[in-house]
Amino acid sequence: MSDDGFLRVADVSKWYGDEQVLHDVSFEMDRGDVTVLIGPSGSGKSTMLRCVNRLAEAQEGSILLDGEEVLSPDLDVNDLRREVGMVFQGFNLFAHLTAVGNVALGPRRVLGLSEAAARERAEAQLERVGLGDQFDSYPAELSGGQQQRVGIARALAMEPKLLLFDEPTSALDPELIGEVLEVMHGLVDEGMTMLVVTHEMSFAREVADEIVFLDDGRVVERGPPDQLFERPERERTGRFLERIASHD
Amino acid sequence: MAGATRPATVRERVADSDRSVGRLLLVAAGALFWGWLVVSWVNRWLGGVLVPVGDPLVPPGAVEATLAAIPGIAAYAADAAFVVELSPEIARGTWLTVVITAASLVVGFFIAVPLAVTRVYGRFSAWVSLAYTELLRGTPLLAQLFVLHYGLNLGSYVPDTLSGVFARNVVWVAIVGFTLNGAAYQAEYIRGAIESVEEGQITAGRAIGLSKLETIYYVVLPQGLRYAIPSWTNEFVYLIKYSSLAAFITVPELYYRADQIASETFRYTLIFIVTGVTYLALVLTASKLMERVESRVSIPGLGVDRER
């Protein structure tokens, strides 16, 4: 690892009203790294993820992306978001647009590509996620796995320097999870920088450079997967991993 | 539902043919109605190329003679001839009804969309929009027309370029009145529809870097406006009928013409039946048209879980 500090999350805290949901969360990742956030539901993983592209607003701390302060009030969030892609648990595909339409919207309207260029880029990204035969299908005509792959293509089409995955397989039927993970594996191999919230422990173990275990809005423990899975330092981490394992 | 196909029962086949006969009759009636209207209008615009302006398209005398020869309906021959005789006036009034409705609906739509959007997504503007909607929906339409016409004398402010379009400027006053009022109602329908667009759609739009306004334009409205079509059609239908209130500020539209003829001839029942049927034909056309629009713009899976 080159330790270029591509993403530096430092002491991030967030409150919803009186309730503090993130307590001084800190972690770093380098370009090309895969960091997986794990933890029980309600532990603040998704909220942390959303703070990175400002879909959620952190009230304290610092998030440096490529040296720029994400939390700065002067930052144009739309500029930030064109560089940080996001894949959602519920896919959130634009229901009125075809697969190509979904993927092309960002390049066309945010990046300002021509209609033809945006379509070409969308088709290329759909090919990349194995949906070369579904260009003109509407979301409702696709399976969950296919929808999520469109979701990934949509994020990729913006040529992001960081991809955020918010439980990308949690809403999928078990038999459809594999195709999505396969696409994500491919991205890892291509060197994409990815911050992933997931319950897929075998995936985390296989591809993560670092695992961050969050509980109750706090980083309980972080480290390389081998260390975290084999020799967790904290009792809570061990308990959580055992509980997850017994479900698999 | 069983997936296997089975032969249609006799009853179903009868029902099917009933439906197609019914549809054929409806289409034929529609063609007759609109054919009569359009030919009447064109005849008037071109200064009476087919029949002298003000004359019916077919001579009432001939209609009466023909019908009188048919046993069973001979008793109605005179009434039919009378209806034919007043048909040019009905066609003339219907023209203004159609124009006022169409113009108010279309212009009102472009006011209604921003009203609905600000109502849902605005802060201060949401209150302005709410106040507008409640004021216009909460006061009688007739009172609004009276304020515009008798109170503000809006007709005298019509710019010269527009002033020649209709025989009388009061038509513009009616269009303004129905536009402002209809916009409030349309905004309510559209607001309800865009509120039902899933939150995740907006999140996804923002996440690829679209601004809030861009997300509304490219993501929320294309879905919300589709959802709005069925309820929006109500406003279309209401407006056709409410446009008759223009008669009270002396706009010579359908109702006004009917009332005039009735008070001259005292044949109220017959005239208002004919007028009612004319409104009905306009309303049916509007709902059929919107059905067509709805199926034309429908998208697989969009809104299916909302329908029942």
Side-chain angles (χ1 to χ4, degrees):
Chain A
M1 261 186 274
S2 58
D3 195 22
D4 59 4
F6 175 65
L7 180 71
R8 284 179 196 276
V9 176
D11 301 321
V12 166
S13 293
K14 174 169 178 59
W15 288 259
Y16 282 123
D18 286 340
E19 193 193 355
Q20 188 166 7
V21 291
L22 294 175
H23 296 263
D24 301 318
V25 174
S26 302
F27 61 91
E28 296 90 43
M29 55 192 294
D30 294 335
R31 214 178 289 274
D33 270 5
V34 178
T35 296
V36 175
L37 302 178
I38 62 171
S41 57
S43 60
K45 315 174 295 270
S46 291
T47 306
M48 182 59 243
L49 196 75
R50 282 161 186 256
C51 286
V52 176
N53 69 349
R54 294 274 295 271
L55 282 180
E57 296 289 355
Q59 281 96 355
E60 280 178 12
S62 154
I63 299 177
L64 287 177
L65 175 67
D66 222 359
E68 254 196 280
E69 179 54 65
V70 167
L71 302 184
S72 158
D74 304 328
L75 178 101
D76 182 340
V77 290
N78 298 324
D79 287 344
L80 168 71
R81 288 170 187 162
R82 71 175 68 173
E83 300 189 323
V84 180
M86 185 158 195
V87 177
F88 300 90
Q89 177 176 2
F91 325 136
N92 296 5
L93 294 188
F94 304 127
H96 64 298
L97 295 176
T98 60
V100 163
N102 264 275
V103 182
L105 186 64
R108 175 86 182 99
R109 302 296 171 192
V110 178
L111 303 180
L113 266 58
S114 72
E115 197 79 52
R119 186 175 173 97
E120 197 178 324
R121 184 183 285 198
E123 289 178 350
Q125 294 305 333
L126 286 170
E127 302 268 9
R128 188 171 169 191
V129 298
L131 289 173
D133 53 347
Q134 301 286 358
F135 288 166
D136 297 319
S137 303
Y138 286 96
E141 299 170 320
L142 298 171
S143 74
Q146 290 173 324
Q147 288 189 53
Q148 191 57 297
R149 286 188 279 153
V150 175
I152 294 172
R154 177 172 68 182
L156 288 172
M158 301 296 288
E159 298 182 339
K161 50 186 187 187
L162 171 65
L163 258 187
L164 307 175
F165 289 84
D166 188 6
E167 304 202 27
T169 57
S170 297
L172 292 173
D173 291 337
E175 73 270 22
L176 300 175
I177 291 176
E179 58 188 82
V180 171
L181 290 181
E182 195 182 319
V183 169
M184 290 172 67
H185 267 288
L187 295 176
V188 174
D189 293 342
E190 290 171 33
M192 176 67 73
T193 314
M194 293 159 55
L195 181 57
V196 184
V197 171
T198 186
H199 291 293
E200 289 296 320
M201 290 304 150
S202 50
F203 174 80
R205 213 166 166 162
E206 234 172 293
V207 304
D209 295 286
E210 182 171 69
I211 309 248
V212 178
F213 174 53
L214 281 168
D215 193 11
D216 219 9
R218 293 182 176 82
V219 176
V220 175
E221 187 169 354
R222 61 193 184 98
D226 287 347
Q227 180 198 317
L228 213 88
F229 280 98
E230 302 300 336
R231 306 163 252 112
E233 282 168 9
R234 300 298 184 98
E235 193 210 339
R236 246 197 299 180
T237 315
R239 271 210 314 262
F240 172 74
L241 290 172
E242 263 169 43
R243 234 192 9 251
I244 288 278
S246 65
H247 282 290
D248 275 350
Chain B
M1 211 195 310
T5 52
R6 55 177 174 74
T9 63
V10 173
R11 181 186 293 219
E12 279 167 346
R13 267 180 281 165
V14 171
D16 271 353
S17 67
D18 273 0
R19 250 197 300 281
S20 58
V21 168
R23 168 170 301 170
L24 208 66
L25 282 174
L26 200 63
V27 169
L32 195 68
F33 175 72
W34 284 101
W36 158 67
L37 274 182
V38 171
V39 172
S40 302
W41 295 340
V42 170
N43 182 62
R44 175 170 285 274
W45 295 331
L46 300 182
V49 281
L50 298 172
V51 293
V53 171
D55 279 11
L57 296 178
V58 287
V63 172
E64 187 168 3
T66 314
L67 294 184
I70 304 171
I73 56 169
Y76 302 105
D79 286 346
F82 178 71
V83 170
V84 170
E85 206 177 316
L86 62 86
S87 66
E89 284 298 288
I90 297 283
R92 224 177 135 186
T94 307
W95 166 247
L96 276 185
T97 293
V98 168
V99 168
I100 290 172
T101 304
S104 311
L105 199 70
V106 170
V107 181
F109 176 78
F110 288 101
I111 299 175
V113 170
L115 275 177
V117 167
T118 51
R119 183 73 190 283
V120 177
Y121 299 107
R123 291 200 183 97
F124 174 70
S125 55
W127 291 100
V128 176
S129 165
L130 176 69
Y132 177 88
T133 322
E134 292 306 318
L135 181 70
L136 275 281
R137 293 197 317 148
T139 55
L141 177 51
L142 191 55
Q144 294 167 17
L145 291 175
F146 278 8
V147 167
L148 293 178
H149 180 58
Y150 297 113
L152 301 174
N153 193 17
L154 206 63
S156 63
Y157 301 104
V158 174
D160 290 345
T161 41
L162 297 180
S163 156
V165 177
F166 301 110
R168 304 190 41 215
N169 278 344
V170 72
V171 176
W172 286 113
V173 181
I175 291 176
V176 169
F178 292 125
T179 298
L180 295 179
N181 182 274
Y185 281 94
Q186 289 189 50
E188 277 299 288
Y189 292 125
I190 295 169
R191 175 181 72 91
I194 62 182
E195 271 174 352
S196 68
V197 173
E198 279 175 50
E199 186 66 33
Q201 298 286 312
I202 299 163
T203 313
R206 299 306 311 273
I208 56 170
L210 292 173
S211 69
K212 192 169 173 184
L213 217 56
E214 287 169 332
T215 305
I216 291 168
Y217 187 78
Y218 294 116
V219 179
V220 175
L221 285 180
Q223 297 182 31
L225 291 179
R226 283 180 168 89
Y227 293 153
I229 293 172
S231 53
W232 186 85
T233 303
N234 279 331
E235 177 54 21
F236 191 172
V237 163
Y238 283 138
L239 192 56
I240 291 171
K241 293 174 294 171
Y242 286 157
S243 69
S244 59
L245 288 179
F248 292 92
I249 55 168
T250 71
V251 175
E253 44 68 77
L254 177 53
Y255 184 87
Y256 183 93
R257 299 270 179 208
D259 195 47
Q260 218 176 24
I261 303 164
S263 59
E264 281 163 11
T265 61
F266 295 104
R267 306 210 53 184
Y268 282 95
T269 310
L270 184 59
I271 287 164
F272 279 103
I273 286 174
V274 171
T275 309
V277 168
T278 309
Y279 277 111
L280 180 65
L282 293 178
V283 165
L284 284 177
T285 306
S287 47
K288 283 286 157 202
L289 181 75
M290 291 314 296
E291 250 174 51
R292 283 287 272 283
V293 170
E294 192 181 358
S295 71
R296 193 70 176 271
V297 301
S298 79
I299 282 170
L302 190 72
V304 283
D305 49 336
R306 302 163 34 91
E307 268 167 23
R308 53 209 107 220

